Amino acid sequence: MKRRADETRGMVLDAAMKMASRDGLEGLTIGQLAGELKLSKAGLILHFGSKEALQLQVLEEAVRRFTERVVVPAFSVPEGVGRLQAILDHWLAWGKDPYLPGGCPLVAAGMELDDQEGPLRDYLVEQRRLWLEALADSAHGAVRVGEFREALDIHLFAFEYFALVLGFHHAQRLLRDPRAEGHVRLAIASLFERCRA
């Protein structure tokens, strides 16, 4: 019985992720999801409770999948510039995945939740801070192996790296600029060059 409930929950989260990617968290409703999956609204409420609980679980699932698709493979690369490059490669692939019709749901949620207090924003802020810290630690790894200069401000590096990838998402999704990936790759390469030992 538990296995069947877990499978249903997984199927629902899968559809909810696609919907959140396309319509944003606010566009994700239990009624709309029930209609799309041809399930009862009452059954979905039983699984998730409220709209906010569903939205939070979608954010948690997005972080879990981002970790699985980006963080784990990139951090299997030895520390240094190679790891930072692997992060970029996996991160860009994640943002262009056809499974996510509207792009990265975490980027979209960042825009949507920036001025909304509450548990959704709190969760996303915590995850963003952890990711920025992981980027800073990766830059510190490049310092440790002698590829980046000793005096590098690793937190400024993380800010710039993150900002460049956010710019890619904006150029790719909103502007539909076919040069977006080429531009972000050149910009990151330039950032690496400025940081070299």
Side-chain angles (χ1 to χ4, degrees), residues 60 127 149 155 183:
E60 291 169 348
Q127 294 305 314
R149 66 179 180 273
H155 292 99
H183 284 171

Side-chain angles (χ1 to χ4, degrees), residues 27-45:
L28 176 63
T29 66
I30 287 178
Q32 186 181 0
L33 193 56
E36 195 160 303
L37 293 171
K38 296 180 177 38
L39 295 172
S40 75
K41 195 171 171 182
L44 285 183
I45 289 171

Side-chain angles (χ1 to χ4, degrees), residues 21-22 94-97 100-106 108 169 172-173:
S21 168
R22 186 188 66 222
W94 158 263
K96 297 184 306 176
D97 189 335
L100 299 170
C104 176
L106 298 170
H169 284 289
Q172 182 201 36
R173 303 299 315 171

Side-chain angles (χ1 to χ4, degrees), residues 114-187:
D114 59 359
D115 291 322
Q116 295 181 29
E117 298 302 323
L120 298 176
R121 183 183 186 279
D122 293 345
Y123 176 78
L124 190 59
V125 165
E126 177 191 356
Q127 294 305 314
R128 284 283 168 86
R129 286 187 176 143
L130 288 171
W131 184 230
L132 283 166
E133 202 53 48
L135 293 174
D137 286 347
S138 296
H140 191 244
V143 172
R144 272 194 301 271
V145 299
E147 294 177 337
F148 282 175
R149 66 179 180 273
E150 284 285 337
L152 180 68
D153 182 337
I154 60 172
H155 292 99
L156 176 58
F157 172 91
F159 175 89
E160 288 186 71
Y161 191 113
F162 189 82
L164 288 169
V165 177
L166 282 184
F168 158 76
H169 284 289
H170 183 80
Q172 182 201 36
R173 303 299 315 171
L174 179 66
L175 302 178
R176 296 184 182 145
D177 185 347
R179 302 164 300 173
E181 183 170 347
H183 284 171
V184 74
R185 287 189 180 280
L186 284 172

Side-chain angles (χ1 to χ4, degrees), residues 3 16 45 57 59-60 63-64 66 87 92-94 103 119 123 144 147 158 166 180 186 192:
R3 184 175 173 184
I45 289 171
Q57 287 186 48
L59 281 179
E60 291 169 348
V63 167
R64 187 192 70 72
F66 181 85
I87 290 170
L92 296 185
W94 158 263
Y123 176 78
R144 272 194 301 271
E147 294 177 337
L166 282 184
L186 284 172
F192 289 174

